[in-house]
Amino acid sequence: MSLLFLLGWILVGTVASALLIRYWDTVRDWLNTTAADFVGRYLGYDARSRMQQAIVIVDRFMGKVRQRTTLMTLTPDGTALDEVEVETLYHEHEIDQALLHELSNRRKIQQRFEYKGDM
C-alpha cells in the first residue's frame, strides 16, 4: 500500500513538473500581476516585493531547465558514445517553428559533419 502511495505521488509530481515547465510563462505572468496585486493589497508592499523576488529566482531556474539539452554522438571509430550537455542561447519562441515541429515529430535530429582539410 505505501509503495503504491509513493508511486502515485511521484506520478503526480512528474505531471505537475511537466505542466509547470510547459506553461511557466503564463504562470509567471499571472503571479506577477494578479497574485502580486492581491498580496500587495492585503499584505503590503514589502510582501509583494519579496514575492516578486522569489518569482525572479524561480524564473531563472526554469530558464536553465528549459534551455538545456544533452547531445549523444558516436565516436569516429563507432565503438562508443560521447555525451555532451549543451545550453542554448535561445528561448523556445525564438527558434524556427519548422525545426521545433521536426524535433517534436522525430524526437531527434541527426546532423553529420565531415572535416576536409590538412591536419
Side-chain angles (χ1 to χ4, degrees), residues 27-61:
V27 170
R28 182 197 58 221
D29 293 343
W30 180 82
L31 286 171
N32 275 324
T33 55
T34 307
D37 289 343
F38 180 82
V39 168
R41 186 176 309 121
Y42 292 105
L43 299 176
Y45 178 78
D46 290 336
R48 177 190 170 112
S49 178
R50 284 192 303 270
M51 177 185 163
Q52 289 182 321
Q53 289 172 354
I55 293 169
V56 167
I57 292 169
V58 173
D59 188 43
R60 287 181 185 159
F61 173 75

Side-chain angles (χ1 to χ4, degrees), residues 35-98:
D37 289 343
F38 180 82
V39 168
R41 186 176 309 121
Y42 292 105
L43 299 176
Y45 178 78
D46 290 336
R48 177 190 170 112
S49 178
R50 284 192 303 270
M51 177 185 163
Q52 289 182 321
Q53 289 172 354
I55 293 169
V56 167
I57 292 169
V58 173
D59 188 43
R60 287 181 185 159
F61 173 75
M62 294 298 288
K64 289 180 181 179
V65 167
R66 293 166 89 184
Q67 294 180 16
R68 190 167 298 225
T69 189
T70 303
L71 298 177
M72 304 291 286
T73 57
L74 199 59
T75 56
D77 60 0
T79 59
L81 288 175
D82 287 334
E83 183 175 334
V84 179
E85 191 168 295
V86 176
E87 270 187 54
T88 180
L89 300 176
Y90 300 102
H91 291 283
E92 185 176 347
H93 66 275
E94 296 174 320
I95 300 173
D96 183 26
Q97 295 302 312

